[in-house]
Amino acid sequence: MSNLQMRIISAVVLGIVVLALTWFGGAAFRLLCAVIAAAIFYEWTRMSRPAGIAPHQMVAAALLAVVLLVFLAQPSAALVFGAAAGAVALCALDSRLRGQQAGTTVGLAYAALSGTSLALLRDDDREGLMAMLFLFATVWATDIMAYFVGRALGGPRLAPAISPGKTWSGAIGGAAGGVLAGGAVAAVTGHGGPALLVTALLLSVVSQVGDLFESWVKRRHGVKDSSGLIPGHGGVMDRVDGLVAAAFVLYLIGALLGGADRPAHGLFVL
């Protein structure tokens, strides 16, 4: 089986699983978010210390497990973020006492925020499902259009020192595709409007920044893929880097408008 065939099969299977769990919501979706967060942290530590897991990283993994258990119990957002903040603070203290750099602490914060933002956005109601479909459409269309437009048009490099393959034409094409896809989902759900189009544009840009951030992390550690967990695609971080960055920003927007516990309700008053 060729690498292209493997990529297609993996993408189809993952897409079906993710969309099904998103549809069901509740504990099933939160478990998916916990798996994503755990995979992100595993890949982060694997890139930073390929020879083996240091004691400090084992402490950080245990702290992340506590955070994930808390949000699987579906408490308030304040409790979830409080647990995450406490875990990051304890990890930072442990890092300082052991004379370690802050990389593992950053990885813990990145993984925890990624999982909790996705979980809190979905919640268990119709608005949560709409928010996730809006997010998926915007980010996935950005990714797809950036790839094809960049290959077709080429042109100046977006960030040659970080990701030489990305171009400005691809970034602009991706943003346009993200706005169109996000706007289409918003219109189908009966909430199309200029504010949501602006939100889609913001999420598209943020998702591309998230992609560049992960590329910078991989380049810093001298690896091509974050791991080999997904056949034909590399690692989980390689697939969700833009998604989790956009999810965090979308959660913040929703929380400001509708409250920390019901962010999706705030989004659809736009």
Side-chain angles (χ1 to χ4, degrees), residues 46-48 50 214-226:
R46 176 183 175 274
M47 287 190 290
S48 62
E214 200 240 352
S215 295
W216 174 78
V217 172
K218 290 190 295 184
R219 183 169 288 271
R220 182 171 181 269
H221 294 295
V223 298
K224 181 178 182 294
D225 297 318
S226 58

Side-chain angles (χ1 to χ4, degrees), residues 52-144:
I53 301 298
H56 171 55
Q57 292 176 327
M58 295 177 65
V59 171
L63 290 169
L64 177 62
V66 172
V67 175
L68 299 183
L69 288 173
V70 169
F71 90 67
L72 284 173
Q74 303 188 36
S76 67
L79 184 56
V80 173
F81 284 116
V88 171
L90 288 173
C91 185
L93 177 61
D94 183 66
S95 174
R96 186 174 183 84
L97 292 175
R98 295 177 187 270
Q100 300 290 316
Q101 295 183 342
T104 299
T105 303
V106 174
L108 171 61
Y110 179 52
L113 286 177
S114 297
T116 53
S117 298
L118 286 167
L120 291 170
L121 261 179
R122 173 59 182 92
D123 204 9
D124 291 326
D125 52 24
R126 179 176 180 272
E127 285 74 13
L129 176 60
M130 289 161 51
M132 292 307 302
L133 294 178
F134 175 73
L135 175 69
F136 287 157
T138 301
V139 174
W140 290 349
T142 296
D143 193 30
I144 293 168

Side-chain angles (χ1 to χ4, degrees), residues 196-216:
L196 277 177
L197 292 179
V198 173
T199 302
L201 176 59
L202 175 62
L203 296 182
S204 179
V205 172
V206 169
S207 73
Q208 295 187 64
V209 172
D211 192 350
L212 286 173
F213 170 71
E214 200 240 352
S215 295
W216 174 78

